[in-house]
């Protein structure tokens, strides 16, 4: 599910023509995308970090400033956690830490907290500088259903001493860990949790013919625990072809790689600069990344790469010229946004999407016009496909596809 290029919520429109008025009025934000043609979860919105701005840091016995509780003070957090969970974790935190063996991670059997709640996994290690290990615990509660699937909900909770005599719950997230039903044919997508070098890592993996994976890494930045890095991977099992995308917020960079099953080296196919991470631990959801307006979301389709090791399709008209023609005809007030291609990455990207990618896309008020793909019919004639993402009158996501005949220059709108 790595940077898959599927337009969430968009089906092909039944319209056969698009008037100038309709073409100019798209105003909603582009929905999240995924490259394998499978639906992504509904997006829930970029987080607002204003809630953490008033947090007050704790102190150690020596007076050293320590990370605060991201979601508010301890009393506020404690009031939202069931007493049986809170009491069990506080009373048994040190015991769990003492028994933790990082060389043999994972629990052979869940640890029962109550008749309806169990610890399915945990990890111990240093996240801050208070001199004590932190404890990250994942619980599963059959009495509280997951909002998406109706199966048992899963919470991740962080416990720390912060210079105090006992451990306290300093943070938690009730919706980040995927439920057992969200892994597709592969089964339960939860894989592992660990704390190393002041970084909390959580791994998910799932799918069927398409295998997808996430490695989320969180770390403290000042007083705030936020997403440091996300590594997304996908693979089509029929060919072994797959991609890896690394969102590195610490280094402010995104890198996307591709690899054939018969290749011994990854191939860098795209690289760009990222903004500062606004993904706070306590409110983070996996689907939140779908809202991130990174230009990589508008890159051409990689669907063909999953299935075959092909060759680049040659065309009479370049993708840039096709995109410009459609822009000048219907979208003159759209603004051009350049991709951060290098000679190497543009060539490498072409080798895995099998056509020359465009150098830019166009956008206005959240609507985007982007070069999507090129395909050949049985006679060998190529059709360029340009995609408009906008909204309908009811505010629902809408896609229009522009088919540009490479031989005649005629444009068909669907």
């Amino acid at each position: 599910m790595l940077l898959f290029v599927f337009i969430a919520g968009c089906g092909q429109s039944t319209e056969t023509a698009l008037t100038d008025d309709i073409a100019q009025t798209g105003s909603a934000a582009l929905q999240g995308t995924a490259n394998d043609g499978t639906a992504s979860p509904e997006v829930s919105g970029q987080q607002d970090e204003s809630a953490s701005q008033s947090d007050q840091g704790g102190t150690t016995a020596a007076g050293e400033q320590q990370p605060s509780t991201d979601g508010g003070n301890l009393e506020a957090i404690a009031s939202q956690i069931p007493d049986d969970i809170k009491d069990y974790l506080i009373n048994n935190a040190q015991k769990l830490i003492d028994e933790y063996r990082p060389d043999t991670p994972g629990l052979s059997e869940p640890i029962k907290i109550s008749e309806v709640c169990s610890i399915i996994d945990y990890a111990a290690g240093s996240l801050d500088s208070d001199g004590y290990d932190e404890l990250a615990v994942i619980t599963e509660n059959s009495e509280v259903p997951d909002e998406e699937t109706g199966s048992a909900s899963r919470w991740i909770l962080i416990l720390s001493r912060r210079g105090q005599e006992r451990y306290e719950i300093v943070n938690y997230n009730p919706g980040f860990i995927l439920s057992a039903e969200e892994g597709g044919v592969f089964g339960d997508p939860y894989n592992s949790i660990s704390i190393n070098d002041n970084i909390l890592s959580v791994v998910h993996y799932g799918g069927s013919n398409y295998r997808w994976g996430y490695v989320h890494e969180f770390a403290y930045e000042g007083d705030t625990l936020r997403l440091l890095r996300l590594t997304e991977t996908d693979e089509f099992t029929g060919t072994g072809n797959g991609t890896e995308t690394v969102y590195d917020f610490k280094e402010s960079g995104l890198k996307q790689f591709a690899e054939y099953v018969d290749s011994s080296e990854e191939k860098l196919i795209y690289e760009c600069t990222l903004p500062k991470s606004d993904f706070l631990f306590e409110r983070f959801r996996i689907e939140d990344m779908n809202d991130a307006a990174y230009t990589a979301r508008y890159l051409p389709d990689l669907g063909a790469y999953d299935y075959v090791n092909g060759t680049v399709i040659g065309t009479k008209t370049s993708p840039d010229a096709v995109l410009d023609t459609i822009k000048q005809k219907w979208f003159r007030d759209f603004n051009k946004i350049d991709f951060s291609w290098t000679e190497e990455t543009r060539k490498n990207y072409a080798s895995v999407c099998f056509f020359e990618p465009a150098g830019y896309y166009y956008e206005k008020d959240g609507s985007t016009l982007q070069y999507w793909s090129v395909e050949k019919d049985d006679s060998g004639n190529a059709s360029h496909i340009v995609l408009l993402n906008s909204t309908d009158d009811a505010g629902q996501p809408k896609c229009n596809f522009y088919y540009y005949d490479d031989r005649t220059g005629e444009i068909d709108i669907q």
Side-chain angles (χ1 to χ4, degrees):
M1 223 146 57
L2 164 68
L3 209 56
F4 298 149
V5 188
F6 169 85
I7 308 302
C10 287
Q12 291 196 18
S13 171
T14 57
E15 299 177 60
T16 57
L18 194 64
T19 66
D20 287 350
D21 288 342
I22 297 175
Q24 304 290 348
T25 56
S27 62
L30 176 72
Q31 302 300 297
T33 62
N35 263 6
D36 68 345
T38 59
S40 298
E42 292 297 318
V43 296
S44 62
Q46 191 92 350
Q47 288 100 323
D48 176 7
E49 61 178 311
S50 61
S52 68
Q53 298 304 311
S54 62
D55 296 343
Q56 301 297 315
T59 57
T60 67
E64 181 182 359
Q65 189 73 17
Q66 294 301 321
S68 68
T69 299
D70 300 338
N73 59 41
L74 295 184
E75 291 77 12
I77 285 182
S79 69
Q80 301 175 62
I81 299 172
D83 288 340
D84 56 350
I85 297 177
K86 178 175 60 180
D87 293 343
Y88 182 92
L89 292 179
I90 290 174
N91 293 331
N92 290 277
Q94 189 63 62
K95 179 176 183 291
L96 292 171
I97 290 172
D98 292 342
E99 293 178 350
Y100 180 66
R101 299 291 179 267
D103 54 337
T104 57
L107 294 174
S108 57
E109 294 290 339
I111 300 172
K112 203 165 188 178
I113 294 177
S114 69
E115 289 300 318
V116 297
C117 185
S118 299
I119 296 172
I120 63 170
D121 206 358
Y122 76 92
S126 177
L127 277 177
D128 58 31
S129 55
D130 69 354
Y132 300 95
D133 282 345
E134 275 62 56
L135 179 67
V137 177
I138 296 175
T139 64
E140 185 174 76
N141 192 334
S142 61
E143 192 173 52
V144 180
D146 177 79
E147 293 180 359
E148 297 292 330
T149 67
S151 57
S153 62
R154 290 174 170 177
W155 288 19
I156 179 170
L157 305 99
I158 309 297
L159 290 91
S160 179
R161 281 188 60 168
R162 299 279 168 87
Q164 307 303 313
E165 292 186 0
R166 68 173 188 171
Y167 280 86
E168 298 284 355
I169 298 174
V170 297
N171 211 326
Y172 81 106
N173 184 311
F176 166 49
I177 304 299
L178 294 179
S179 73
E181 306 301 321
E182 294 183 273
V185 174
F186 192 78
D188 189 342
Y190 171 74
N191 183 275
S192 64
I193 185 172
S194 62
I195 300 175
N196 292 297
D197 299 324
N198 303 116
I199 295 173
L200 169 68
S201 299
V202 181
V203 181
H204 289 90
Y205 182 78
S208 54
N209 288 332
Y210 283 96
R211 298 288 172 83
W212 50 264
Y214 300 115
V215 181
H216 291 87
E217 298 175 71
F218 298 89
Y220 276 104
E221 183 181 274
D223 288 346
T224 306
L225 186 62
R226 66 175 72 239
L227 184 64
L228 173 73
R229 187 181 297 105
L230 165 62
T231 303
E232 293 182 280
T233 57
D234 82 276
E235 177 188 353
F236 179 61
T237 58
T239 60
N241 294 344
T243 51
E244 175 184 274
T245 301
V246 180
Y247 303 82
D248 192 332
F249 295 103
K250 182 177 181 180
E251 301 297 331
S252 299
L254 176 150
K255 291 186 177 182
Q256 185 176 16
F257 302 88
E259 184 175 6
Y260 287 118
V261 66
D262 57 357
S263 173
S264 59
E265 295 184 359
E266 289 185 323
K267 181 184 296 185
L268 179 64
I269 60 175
Y270 192 67
E271 184 174 12
C272 69
T273 300
L274 291 176
K276 175 182 172 67
S277 171
D278 284 330
F279 299 109
L280 309 185
F281 170 82
E282 72 272 13
R283 294 195 296 275
F284 183 76
R285 305 291 185 274
I286 284 178
E287 58 265 30
D288 288 338
M289 288 296 293
N290 292 339
D291 273 353
Y294 307 139
T295 55
R297 295 295 180 191
Y298 314 129
L299 292 171
D301 180 31
L302 287 178
Y305 167 68
D306 296 326
Y307 295 100
V308 294
N309 295 349
T311 56
V312 174
I313 299 174
T315 59
K316 181 176 71 173
T317 310
S318 72
D320 288 347
V322 170
L323 191 58
D324 289 343
T325 297
I326 294 172
K327 187 261 186 185
Q328 289 300 319
K329 188 173 180 63
W330 286 292
F331 307 98
R332 291 186 179 181
D333 58 348
F334 273 42
N335 303 307
K336 184 168 78 170
I337 309 295
D338 290 312
F339 291 118
S340 60
W341 293 121
T342 64
E343 182 177 352
E344 174 194 7
T345 57
R346 193 167 185 178
K347 178 181 177 181
N348 287 345
Y349 203 95
S351 72
V352 295
C353 69
F354 308 127
F355 55 85
E356 183 69 21
Y360 42 83
Y361 67 98
Y362 290 101
E363 65 87 27
K364 181 188 176 185
D365 297 332
S367 295
T368 58
L369 185 73
Q370 63 194 93
Y371 189 87
W372 179 251
S373 185
V374 62
E375 57 187 30
K376 282 193 173 183
D377 59 25
D378 293 338
S379 66
N381 186 44
S383 290
H384 301 266
I385 305 173
V386 173
L387 175 64
L388 170 68
N389 289 283
S390 59
T391 56
D392 61 19
D393 293 340
Q396 296 301 309
K398 173 183 175 182
C399 299
N400 289 100
F401 293 86
Y402 294 73
Y403 290 84
Y404 181 102
D405 191 297
D406 190 55
R407 183 182 300 154
T408 67
E410 295 178 353
I411 301 172
D412 179 35
I413 304 172
Q414 297 183 14

